[in-house]
Amino acid sequence: MGIWKAFYEYLTYDHYGRRRWRPAAYGLLAAVAVILGMMLAAGIFALQAPPAAPQPVPTFAPPTATAIVARIATATASAPPTPTPAPLCPDDPRLWQLVEMRPFLDPQTEQPVQMLKPTYRIEPPCVYQGLWRDVAHYLFMSDPPTPTVKKWVRDVPWYWSPEPDFVYRDFFAYRPTAQSYYYDREGWRIDEVITPFTAVWTGDPDYPVLVYLYRDFADAAYGIHWKDGRIEGVWPVILHGGQVMRRVDEVLYDAQGKRWVTGDYRAIYVRMFHTVPEDGSWMWETYGIRGFRRSELAEVFGMKEILPERINPKEWTLGKPMKVGP
């Protein structure tokens, strides 16, 4: 009450024991009356204005991660890979799914094929665009991705044991500096066929997904070791009827770096039936996943071939022969 009393005494003065209004008080009261009148008039005009026509309110279902991924998968399922992943493709593996691939049909008989172990592909399919981009950098040694975390990824299901039960192995994420490659009997570079065989969850937060890649070298007769821009060794490959030279590489998804990096690799050699095409491309339609030849990857991603088109094995002291199969 002290503030209001002081304000009242400021606007009045004492006149023989009675409070009288100062002349300035009348001006202040008049200004307040004018402001209140203007506010009242504005309110009356607003009430008399005709109401605006109602507009329909759109209703949308709340977006979910599943719905977003489904739209991306539909848009990119049939699109060929491009040098960069689709802008809307989720790079968070928590938005991915591993879907079992079935049924399998034999490309010759069109009859179901019984698989020893279940195989999986990543949904949405656009994820493979990023995988192919980083694989191309690895194959052509054009600044291969460096792992964010150097570590072993433990207890990953290993598909290549003959038993139906899984064997578990450890893989190390690394940046490759050398590679092996294969040539035919005439010394010509083989245009290998690369197929994503299966994807698996690893349970590791840094590298949550691993993809096994088939690399088929039809009619391989010579192998080379390539490092620092030159051949460091050549060795013969011995194939028998119905056999193919097949290598299995592992690539790990680097969750922090948002890229695929190379795992420590293992090579296996698989005996195939004579009725199965040797280059492995038959699996593309069977598995429902687009594969690539090496030359196609170079063209799509603008890479320059680093390996010689042809070698002359007679110029080399051949190393220990590599025998395929038992």
Side-chain angles (χ1 to χ4, degrees):
M1 295 298 293
I3 296 177
W4 292 108
K5 182 179 179 181
F7 185 64
Y8 173 72
E9 291 179 350
Y10 174 76
L11 296 178
T12 60
Y13 65 94
D14 183 80
H15 182 71
Y16 298 105
R18 298 180 62 183
R19 304 297 299 181
R20 292 183 178 273
W21 292 100
R22 299 178 185 274
Y26 293 102
L28 178 61
L29 294 175
V32 172
V34 171
I35 293 174
L36 292 176
M38 293 175 64
M39 294 175 63
L40 179 61
I44 294 174
F45 285 129
L47 291 175
Q48 292 178 348
Q55 298 293 328
V57 179
T59 57
F60 300 98
T64 63
T66 302
I68 294 173
V69 170
R71 291 198 296 270
I72 296 169
T74 301
T76 60
S78 59
T82 56
T84 57
L88 296 180
C89 193
D91 57 11
D92 187 343
R94 291 174 296 182
L95 296 177
W96 302 352
Q97 291 181 319
L98 300 192
V99 179
E100 186 174 355
M101 298 186 286
R102 64 165 111 181
F104 286 105
L105 298 179
D106 184 280
Q108 300 295 326
T109 65
E110 296 186 355
Q111 296 298 314
V113 177
Q114 181 64 38
M115 302 296 292
L116 186 64
K117 297 180 176 72
T119 55
Y120 300 89
R121 67 169 174 259
I122 303 173
E123 293 288 346
C126 61
V127 172
Y128 286 97
Q129 296 183 16
L131 181 145
W132 288 121
R133 173 202 61 207
D134 296 330
V135 167
H137 281 283
Y138 153 56
L139 291 179
F140 298 99
M141 306 302 289
S142 176
D143 191 23
T146 301
T148 302
V149 182
K150 294 183 178 180
K151 63 183 296 187
W152 285 94
V153 181
R154 305 289 183 181
D155 299 326
V156 180
W158 176 248
Y159 268 68
W160 318 118
S161 58
E163 298 80 14
D165 295 333
F166 280 108
V167 174
Y168 295 87
R169 302 187 65 168
D170 302 335
F171 298 96
F172 189 77
Y174 76 106
R175 185 179 190 271
T177 58
Q179 59 178 286
S180 300
Y181 208 76
Y182 300 91
Y183 289 72
D184 65 15
R185 292 186 180 278
E186 301 299 324
W188 293 100
R189 183 182 64 242
I190 296 174
D191 195 11
E192 69 171 302
V193 172
I194 311 169
T195 303
F197 174 70
T198 191
V200 296
W201 297 113
T202 67
D204 187 285
D206 295 313
Y207 300 99
V209 181
L210 179 144
V211 171
Y212 289 109
L213 296 178
Y214 272 165
R215 298 179 60 188
D216 286 283
F217 303 86
D219 302 322
Y222 299 98
I224 69 168
H225 183 70
W226 180 265
K227 185 176 182 181
D228 297 331
R230 61 188 181 89
I231 297 175
E232 291 193 338
V234 179
W235 62 90
V237 177
I238 301 176
L239 291 173
H240 301 288
Q243 293 180 334
V244 298
M245 173 65 197
R246 168 171 289 170
R247 171 171 165 167
V248 176
D249 280 9
E250 303 85 29
V251 287
L252 296 156
Y253 186 70
D254 187 335
Q256 296 185 45
K258 309 298 183 185
R259 57 182 174 259
W260 294 87
V261 299
T262 309
D264 69 320
Y265 66 87
R266 295 290 183 269
I268 64 170
Y269 314 106
V270 181
R271 182 186 296 273
M272 304 292 286
F273 295 105
H274 292 281
T275 56
V276 176
E278 292 185 350
D279 66 4
S281 59
W282 63 274
M283 289 186 290
W284 298 355
E285 182 176 356
T286 302
Y287 285 12
I289 299 180
R290 176 72 160 87
F292 273 93
R293 291 186 177 274
R294 181 183 177 97
S295 59
E296 293 175 325
L297 276 180
E299 181 178 356
V300 169
F301 293 96
M303 297 292 177
K304 182 179 179 181
E305 180 59 72
I306 59 173
L307 302 175
E309 184 178 11
R310 193 174 188 182
I311 63 170
N312 184 2
K314 296 180 180 180
E315 297 178 354
W316 293 86
T317 300
L318 300 181
K320 184 179 179 181
M322 175 182 293
K323 295 183 180 180
V324 177

